[in-house]
Amino acid sequence: MFNKGDKVTVLDDAIDGIVLSVKANKVTIETTDGFDLTFDAKELIKVGTNDLNFNIGPNLSQIIKEKEIPKPRSFVKEKKPKHEAGVPEFDLHIEKLVKSFKGMNNYDILSIQTETAQRHIEFAIKNRIPKIVFIHGVGEGVLKSELDFLLGRYDNVAFQDANYQKYGLGATEVYIKQSK
């Protein structure tokens, strides 16, 4: 089927090379990049020859054509409602806020988290951002209750649990009422 020195190409990948050895149905090739790779014989096609005495099916030319032309990637972009476009999300997990929290006690960690939340709330009020989301996680609920207490001190702020499908139980949506 394959002989040492045959030029081959790999069916499912953009790899070309020259056959170095054939053992049973395993063929070792040296790629054009200089790597030695081993493939099953059915994964390779001889190139530069009309001696196609192996059976890979009637669509050989179609397979080679598909291999040469990369398929465009298709993806579906998630469409967001206009009122949710660009809602700032702030993760209050301590590992997201500081480089290292080793040596910090729980009070220090909670203080950093609540101060960060307060800064973001005041920034949103000052810059007339109508909605923000705090990601606090589920845990024992200490940060969530502290966040609820902090948000309750603002007259122009309403809050509720964030979208369950998107965040689970570990986030709070904050709405800032705009005064004219």
Side-chain angles (χ1 to χ4, degrees):
M1 194 169 195
F2 294 104
N3 298 315
K4 186 175 180 180
D6 286 345
K7 290 184 180 181
V8 293
T9 185
V10 181
L11 276 175
D12 295 332
D13 211 341
I15 299 174
D16 298 317
I18 297 174
V19 175
L20 294 177
S21 67
V22 179
K23 292 179 184 166
N25 66 341
K26 297 290 184 185
V27 180
T28 303
I29 67 168
E30 180 180 353
T31 66
T32 54
D33 297 327
F35 295 103
D36 292 354
L37 302 175
T38 303
F39 295 95
D40 283 334
K42 63 184 177 185
E43 296 178 300
L44 301 173
I45 298 176
K46 281 185 190 179
V47 291
T49 179
N50 292 331
D51 180 27
L52 296 175
N53 59 0
F54 53 97
N55 183 17
I56 87 161
N59 300 329
L60 176 62
S61 60
Q62 181 182 354
I63 292 171
I64 293 174
K65 188 184 290 185
E66 287 177 4
K67 182 180 178 304
E68 290 173 354
I69 302 170
K71 294 179 183 175
R73 293 185 179 207
S74 64
F75 61 93
V76 177
K77 187 173 181 180
E78 181 183 333
K79 293 191 177 186
K80 296 179 184 176
K82 288 185 179 179
H83 66 278
E84 283 197 23
V87 175
E89 298 174 353
F90 303 103
D91 195 338
L92 296 178
H93 288 93
I94 191 65
E95 61 270 10
K96 302 286 185 178
L97 301 177
V98 295
K99 287 183 181 179
S100 173
F101 57 95
K102 287 187 178 180
M104 289 181 154
N105 61 28
N106 291 343
Y107 176 79
D108 294 335
I109 292 171
L110 189 60
S111 296
I112 290 171
Q113 291 170 319
T114 53
E115 288 169 6
T116 302
Q118 185 174 5
R119 259 196 338 268
H120 288 304
I121 293 166
E122 291 174 2
F123 179 83
I125 292 169
K126 179 181 172 189
N127 291 293
R128 303 181 64 81
I129 298 171
K131 177 181 167 184
I132 59 176
V133 176
F134 287 115
I135 300 169
H136 47 72
V138 181
E140 294 178 17
V142 176
L143 178 58
K144 181 178 178 5
S145 60
E146 196 68 28
L147 192 60
D148 289 351
F149 177 75
L150 174 69
L151 293 169
R153 297 191 322 204
Y154 291 93
D155 293 332
N156 58 338
V157 168
F159 59 95
Q160 67 183 25
D161 288 342
N163 182 343
Y164 178 76
Q165 289 179 329
K166 186 171 183 181
Y167 301 103
L169 295 172
T172 300
E173 285 181 344
V174 180
Y175 299 94
I176 292 117
K177 300 172 189 167
Q178 306 293 329
S179 57
K180 294 182 181 180

